[in-house]
Amino acid sequence: MKVFVSSDMEGTAGVVAWEQCRAPDPEYQYYRGLLQEEVNAAIEGAEAAGATGFLVNDSHSTMANLRPDALAGRARYLSGRHKPLYMMQGLDASFDAVFFVSYHGSMSSEGATLSHTYNPAAISEVRLNGVVAGESGINALVALGHGVPVALITGDATTLAEAQPFCPGIQGAVVKSSVSRFAADSLHPLEAREVIRQAARTAIERLEEAEPPRIALPATLTVRFRNADLAEMATWIEGVVRNDRLAVRMTDDDPVRLYRRFVTVVMLTRGIAE
Ligand SMILES: [Zn+2]
């Protein structure tokens, strides 16, 4: 039983500011420790239900936020920049379940702490087959491509709600209640870890009932930008067409290819995002 863990950071209990999530701010060293413990709680919960193999793909910022020797479950650690499949690098059909740990609400959601969809400076909304998608829905395309269920997500209530349309039967560990983009009422870290451990355990125990992401193919991603220049630039990529002044769309019957095209849009538009 192998579990693929994609770890972000903004969904960790107690985290409410960008500075807490980025070096060199001194606070970052503290908050990365809280993230590490939440990742470990997810692994330990899965272990308690019989999972034995773990790959943690660090998916936040420089993608090197965790301490390899402090990872539970003797997990393998996939870290560092420039990964072709970005937040989903390393997943293949040999895995039995995907966990999204410390995820966050999408840019267009309401009252979700540190909400964004890949790039808050460029992207204002993403829809997948017409439904607003956070990073969980977009990343679920890769899980669908490999036929692996997304079994667990941790973060605030919005994070869970945005994953549910795409990930049938997903278990949620809600560790904080967002007040605004920059405020949240968080569980005590020890309590948050307990909630995550329980949800991870349940996710693996009920894996037989789980199914791969429910996303009709061919799938269409519609990406709305903060200005028209960003939308125009995105159309330089083959397969990306203009939808309206601020939005583009892309359609593909291969979900992994669609995800890669989306990642290419993210990478390219980073160059002119303010
Ligand atoms: Zn992040």
Side-chain angles (χ1 to χ4, degrees):
M1 171 81 70
K2 281 173 65 185
V3 178
F4 175 88
V5 180
S6 170
S7 63
D8 204 343
M9 184 163 184
E10 291 86 355
T12 299
V15 168
V16 290
W18 299 120
E19 302 78 58
Q20 294 168 344
C21 302
R22 279 186 203 136
D25 194 287
E27 287 289 280
Y28 165 74
Q29 295 302 335
Y30 168 73
Y31 286 96
R32 75 191 300 186
L34 297 186
L35 168 65
Q36 177 102 39
E37 292 306 319
E38 289 198 359
V39 169
N40 283 345
I43 292 172
E44 288 159 7
E47 272 188 312
T52 50
F54 300 91
L55 174 61
V56 177
N57 175 30
D58 192 323
S59 303
H60 172 74
S61 187
T62 57
M63 301 186 259
N65 303 282
L66 303 171
R67 297 297 191 210
D69 64 342
L71 280 173
R74 304 221 167 177
R76 276 157 53 209
Y77 183 44
L78 203 167
S79 59
R81 288 170 185 271
H82 184 54
K83 297 182 279 197
L85 286 173
Y86 211 123
M87 299 182 82
M88 298 302 282
Q89 185 69 40
L91 180 66
D92 60 34
S94 72
F95 287 90
D96 301 285
V98 171
F99 284 3
F100 292 152
V101 174
S102 194
Y103 270 42
H104 50 79
S106 75
M107 188 64 173
S108 60
S109 62
E110 197 171 336
T113 306
L114 300 181
S115 62
H116 63 287
T117 308
Y118 273 83
N119 184 355
I123 295 173
S124 60
E125 183 182 83
V126 174
R127 284 176 182 263
L128 175 52
N129 289 343
V131 178
V132 170
E135 292 173 5
S136 58
I138 298 165
N139 298 350
L141 286 166
V142 181
L144 173 61
H146 296 296
V148 184
V150 180
L152 174 76
I153 189 162
T154 82
D156 68 2
T158 302
T159 307
L160 171 60
E162 287 185 332
Q164 282 167 330
F166 307 107
C167 305
I170 191 169
Q171 295 293 314
V174 176
V175 298
K176 60 184 169 189
S177 170
S178 291
V179 174
S180 71
R181 275 194 95 215
F182 299 107
D185 175 348
S186 294
L187 297 180
H188 186 283
L190 293 176
E191 191 67 31
R193 290 166 208 163
E194 195 47 46
V195 168
I196 292 171
R197 211 173 276 120
Q198 285 300 331
R201 182 176 184 149
T202 305
I204 296 304
E205 283 171 351
R206 295 192 187 159
L207 204 51
E208 276 185 17
E209 305 158 29
E211 40 181 303
R214 200 178 286 154
I215 301 166
L217 298 174
T220 298
L221 279 172
T222 312
V223 182
R224 185 161 294 279
F225 292 96
R226 289 167 63 122
N227 65 57
D229 279 17
L230 291 158
E232 194 277 329
M233 187 182 232
T235 65
W236 300 356
I237 298 160
E238 202 178 326
V240 179
V241 297
R242 200 74 172 262
N243 213 34
D244 59 43
R245 190 160 49 86
L246 293 177
V248 300
R249 68 175 188 279
M250 56 202 97
T251 299
D252 210 304
D253 53 10
D254 178 342
V256 177
R257 200 166 52 202
L258 182 61
Y259 177 78
R260 291 189 68 140
R261 192 171 294 128
F262 171 77
V263 167
T264 308
V265 166
V266 171
M267 296 293 190
L268 181 66
T269 53
R270 208 171 258 177
I272 57 164
E274 293 158 26

